[in-house]
Amino acid sequence: MSSVIRQIPLDTATQNHAHDFHQIVIGLQGQAEFEIEGLGGAISAFSGCIVPANHMHYYMGQGENRQLILDLPANAPSLTGYHHELSRLFDAPRFFALDKPLKHYLDFLLLEQADSQQDLSAAQSDRLAATFLGCLHARLGGAAARPAMRQLDLAKLDHFIDRHLSCPISVADLAAQACLSEAHFRSRFREQTGLSPWQYVRRRRLEAARRLLEESRMPLSQIALNTGFAHQSALSHAFRSAYGCPPSQLRRTLLDSFSTNRLRHTT
C-alpha cells in the first residue's frame, strides 16, 4: 500500500478512533487538540503530532481549522526498503514543531498538491512522504524516546466505578475514561496499581458491600445486586475469599458488638 497525503478540517466535537496505519498530522490553519494513548497536546500552524498505528487517539478541532494528514501503512514504500529506518519514528506518539527548512518543504509539498490536476499519484505521495519523514527523523534523533506518560486518574476511575457498581463494567468502559485503548489501559493500569482492572473493580465492589453491611440493615440479596454481584451466593463467595468470612457472619459480629456496647452504656 502507498502513502496518502490529504487536507481536512477536524470536527469541533471530540472524536476518537484507532487505525491500522501510522499517521502524521500537521497543522495548517487554526488549532486542534490531540490525546494519543494518554499523551496530550495541541497543534497549530507548523506543528504536528505522530500517531502510531493502533493507538487510540482523541482529537478535536477548534473553530476554523485545516490539517495536512499523511496516512502511512507500515508496508508503504516510504517506510520500507531503503527507508525502513524511518518506521522508528512511530515507536511512540510525539508532538513536534517544524523548523524553517521543514516549513519551506511543507510549502513545496502543498504547492505540489495544489498543482496536481487530480490527487497526487501513489508514487508522488510516497516520494514526498519519504522526504518529509527522513527530515523529521533526522531532527527527532531517530527512534522517538518514549515520553513520560501521565499517571492514570484513579480518583476519576473510582468515581466512575462507584456510580456504576450495580452494572457490568468492562475494561473498554474504564479505558474510555482514561482516553486509552484497552491494551494500553491494561498494561498502564497494572503497572500503576499492581492489579488487573478486573481485580480492582472487584475489590471496589467488595469495599462497597462491606460499607453497606456496616452502615445499613439492607438484605444481603439487595446488597449483592447494588454492588454488581449476580446473586447473594456470588457475593458470599467473593466476600469469604477477600475477608475470610461470609458477609452474614460479619453482620452478626457487628450486631453483637453493637448490642454489647449498648448494654454497657445502659448499666
Side-chain angles (χ1 to χ4, degrees):
M1 295 179 65
S2 294
S3 308
V4 175
I5 301 175
R6 56 197 173 97
Q7 294 184 43
I8 61 166
L10 294 181
D11 198 324
T12 53
T14 301
Q15 305 292 329
N16 71 88
H17 62 216
H19 35 67
D20 60 2
F21 51 87
H22 303 308
Q23 202 169 65
I24 299 279
V25 183
I26 303 169
L28 299 176
Q29 176 186 352
Q31 289 191 324
E33 294 183 2
F34 276 77
E35 183 158 359
I36 311 161
E37 294 290 2
L39 179 69
I43 63 175
S44 55
F46 302 118
S47 65
C49 62
I50 294 170
V51 184
N54 301 310
H55 277 49
M56 177 63 70
H57 50 287
Y58 290 69
Y59 57 94
M60 177 182 68
Q62 297 182 352
E64 291 187 12
N65 71 90
R66 189 163 52 98
Q67 322 297 324
L68 181 74
I69 297 181
L70 283 67
D71 295 327
L72 304 158
N75 62 350
S78 56
L79 291 174
T80 56
Y82 178 77
H83 303 295
H84 73 278
E85 275 297 315
L86 302 183
S87 64
R88 298 295 303 280
L89 276 168
F90 301 95
D91 284 352
R94 196 165 185 178
F95 289 82
F96 60 86
L98 302 185
D99 58 16
K100 190 173 181 178
L102 274 180
K103 289 178 184 178
H104 286 310
Y105 183 74
L106 178 62
D107 289 339
F108 168 76
L109 190 157
L110 294 174
L111 284 171
E112 284 285 287
Q113 195 177 43
D115 286 346
S116 179
Q117 296 299 313
Q118 299 176 335
D119 290 339
L120 291 170
S121 69
Q124 277 182 297
S125 294
D126 281 317
R127 283 194 294 267
L128 291 167
T131 300
F132 178 81
L133 293 174
C135 294
L136 190 61
H137 181 271
R139 285 156 174 76
L140 297 183
R146 186 71 184 174
M149 293 293 185
R150 62 176 171 78
Q151 292 284 292
L152 295 174
D153 187 344
L154 294 182
K156 180 181 179 181
L157 291 172
D158 287 346
H159 183 63
F160 177 83
I161 294 168
D162 291 348
R163 285 190 296 113
H164 298 87
L165 275 178
S166 62
C167 310
I169 299 173
S170 67
V171 176
D173 294 330
L174 299 176
Q177 296 298 306
C179 301
L180 296 172
S181 67
E182 287 188 49
H184 281 74
F185 178 80
R186 287 179 191 275
S187 62
R188 292 268 303 281
F189 193 88
R190 184 175 285 280
E191 182 180 330
Q192 185 169 334
T193 67
L195 300 171
S196 71
W198 178 83
Q199 289 171 322
Y200 190 89
V201 170
R202 183 173 180 270
R203 186 175 72 179
R204 199 79 186 165
R205 293 187 190 281
L206 285 167
E207 289 171 348
R210 180 162 187 154
R211 284 195 301 273
L212 288 173
L213 280 169
E214 294 172 346
E215 299 170 6
S216 77
R217 297 294 182 91
M218 189 180 294
L220 294 181
S221 58
Q222 190 60 49
I223 290 177
L225 292 177
N226 285 7
T227 54
F229 291 93
H231 40 69
Q232 182 176 332
S233 60
L235 170 63
S236 296
H237 178 76
F239 207 90
R240 186 190 296 273
S241 296
Y243 299 118
C245 67
S248 55
Q249 181 178 331
L250 176 62
R251 174 163 274 178
R252 285 195 301 272
T253 301
L254 291 170
L255 287 174
D256 290 345
S257 177
F258 176 78
S259 298
T260 300
N261 289 335
R262 187 174 180 184
L263 181 63
R264 287 174 178 171
H265 282 88
T266 55
T267 56

